[in-house]
Amino acid sequence: MPLGHRLLLSSAAAAAAAAAAARSSSSASAALRRIAGPPPPSPAPWGSAAPSPSSEGDEEEGGEVRVLLDSDVDSIEHDPTFGFQLYMEALSTKRFGRLLVWSPRISSTHDLVTKNFHELPIGTVCVADIQSKGRGRAKNVWESPPGCLLFSFTLQMDDGRKLPLVQYVASLAVTEAIKELCITKGLPPLDVRIKWPNDLYLNGLKVGGILCTSTYRSKNFNVCAGIGLNVDNEKPTTCLNAVLQEKTSSHRLKREDILASFFNKFENLFEIFSDQGFQFLEELYYDTWLHSGQKVVIEEKHEDQSVEETVVTVQGLTSSGYLLATDEDNKTYELHPDGNSFDFFKGLVRRKIK
């Protein structure tokens, strides 16, 4: 029997939820059907923009959907490429990540989780080996080949004022998870840094990114957080294990360990964030991001085509999660990611003209 479609879940409750999603949502079924079929043709490296591939011929008629408990994993004919037992043994959360959906290939973990949000318990995570239509900011579409940790998960918030800051909590959970993994496994440190607002950098090169989207329903914000992290694929920039092997040739980080460590960190950080606010995480965040004290030039073009330049110094984040900077006269500037073009490595911020 071909690999087809498989949902590999970590509990009986997970199986029931996933079965309900597959039965009740045609969009879920379509997303799952697109997993099947022959392997994708030489996908572009993670992090490189690629045109959306056509869905024609992408689906396999009569594709199978199977819902399995973790105890059933050994019964499938092909070994899954994700080590469920390794992951569950490393996971210590009470809620996040305990219900796991895995696919060898999917169009987008983010889309699947978003479309089936109300069928899945809060904390559900969807993991894929390959994505053909991964999502980024500004509706960018990405192809993601093997070697990346690709996942999306559900969470819920009731305070809309905190909503823009949750992506920073997720970013911080990634950097703290990798830091702790290296310590506990006796590995050299990997100095993964946050590039505002939602990128992850290692040795000056991008290795990951975060995307958070939300909808509002019944007085709650339903959030889907998606993360892509380059673990083993060295192109087009670098990856965690390539840098690690420059320091030690005998050890590699595994996706399962990173994912479990992420949720262990995220659950704790999210609890602090929800109960006490982001200000209790700010110091740790600023220790991890790339921008404290950075001087940048704000370049603004006026209607008469003249260009005005202002040198500012990054101070931190505003209470709304935007970038806070001051000029030499101590005038403050609040910079929004959707209203400006940022090139921090050139020290330049361009105000976009609508």
Side-chain angles (χ1 to χ4, degrees):
M1 184 180 65
L3 180 61
H5 322 288
R6 292 192 172 92
L7 297 173
L8 302 182
L9 310 175
S10 60
S11 68
R23 287 196 305 269
S24 64
S25 172
S26 60
S27 61
S29 299
L32 290 171
R33 281 198 298 271
R34 281 196 293 270
I35 299 170
S42 301
W46 181 89
S48 60
S52 300
S54 170
S55 61
E56 293 182 8
D58 189 38
E59 300 180 0
E60 177 179 307
E61 291 298 327
E64 174 198 7
V65 177
R66 294 178 61 188
V67 178
L68 306 178
L69 306 184
D70 53 352
S71 58
D72 298 325
V73 171
D74 290 339
S75 68
I76 64 177
E77 292 80 0
H78 297 263
D79 291 335
T81 53
F82 188 87
F84 303 99
Q85 184 174 354
L86 175 62
Y87 166 73
M88 293 305 296
E89 287 176 351
L91 189 68
S92 61
T93 61
K94 296 179 179 178
R95 189 178 199 183
F96 287 102
R98 302 209 67 83
L99 190 161
L100 180 112
V101 181
W102 168 80
S103 171
R105 183 180 188 273
I106 197 170
S107 57
S108 165
T109 60
H110 204 89
D111 286 347
L112 186 142
V113 170
T114 300
K115 292 175 181 177
N116 298 283
F117 191 99
H118 300 290
E119 303 291 343
L120 300 170
I122 298 300
T124 299
V125 57
C126 176
V127 184
D129 296 340
I130 297 173
Q131 285 188 142
S132 60
K133 299 179 183 178
R135 292 178 58 186
R137 287 185 65 242
K139 298 182 180 180
N140 289 327
V141 177
W142 309 89
E143 289 193 358
S144 309
C148 304
L149 173 59
L150 310 165
F151 66 99
S152 299
F153 66 99
T154 61
L155 62 132
Q156 204 166 56
M157 301 174 61
D158 57 11
D159 188 346
R161 294 169 298 180
K162 294 180 178 178
L163 194 62
L165 299 165
V166 73
Q167 63 180 329
Y168 307 144
V169 181
S171 301
L172 188 56
V174 175
T175 60
E176 289 299 296
I178 294 171
K179 185 187 303 181
E180 183 165 291
L181 266 182
C182 290
I183 292 173
T184 57
K185 292 185 176 296
L187 300 175
L190 291 174
D191 190 23
V192 178
R193 295 277 177 161
I194 298 167
K195 176 178 174 289
W196 185 86
N198 61 350
D199 288 333
L200 299 166
Y201 272 67
L202 177 59
N203 292 352
L205 298 171
K206 183 175 177 178
V207 293
I210 289 92
L211 174 69
C212 293
T213 59
S214 66
T215 57
Y216 185 74
R217 179 176 175 180
S218 301
K219 298 183 179 180
N220 282 307
F221 292 93
N222 301 318
V223 182
C224 177
I227 296 175
L229 186 64
N230 212 345
V231 180
D232 284 306
N233 180 31
E234 297 183 37
K235 296 179 179 181
T237 56
T238 188
C239 64
L240 301 185
N241 281 327
V243 175
L244 191 61
Q245 288 192 313
E246 292 174 0
K247 303 179 179 184
T248 173
S249 59
S250 56
H251 296 282
R252 301 174 69 88
L253 292 177
K254 296 180 179 179
R255 292 184 303 160
E256 298 87 347
D257 284 330
I258 297 173
L259 184 62
S261 184
F262 166 81
F263 280 122
N264 294 342
K265 287 293 182 182
F266 180 81
E267 186 163 275
N268 179 54
L269 294 173
F270 186 69
E271 182 177 354
I272 295 172
F273 170 62
S274 300
D275 294 343
Q276 303 176 60
F278 190 74
Q279 62 267 30
F280 287 87
L281 301 176
E282 275 188 336
E283 184 176 352
L284 184 59
Y285 182 84
Y286 294 147
D287 285 343
T288 308
W289 80 338
L290 292 167
H291 310 299
S292 293
Q294 182 179 11
K295 291 187 181 295
V296 296
V297 176
I298 298 177
E299 184 180 277
E300 186 168 9
K301 182 179 288 188
H302 299 290
E303 291 183 359
D304 62 1
Q305 301 304 307
S306 63
V307 177
E308 179 182 356
E309 293 185 348
T310 305
V311 178
V312 298
T313 302
V314 176
Q315 302 295 339
L317 297 173
T318 68
S319 59
S320 301
Y322 299 125
L323 203 64
L324 176 65
T326 56
D327 63 15
E328 58 184 10
D329 297 323
N330 212 32
K331 179 182 177 181
T332 60
Y333 294 78
E334 185 179 74
L335 304 177
H336 297 216
D338 293 330
N340 301 282
S341 173
F342 294 89
D343 190 340
F344 283 115
F345 297 108
K346 290 184 178 179
L348 184 65
V349 177
R350 290 189 177 92
R351 290 276 178 90
K352 293 183 178 178
I353 300 175
K354 297 183 179 179

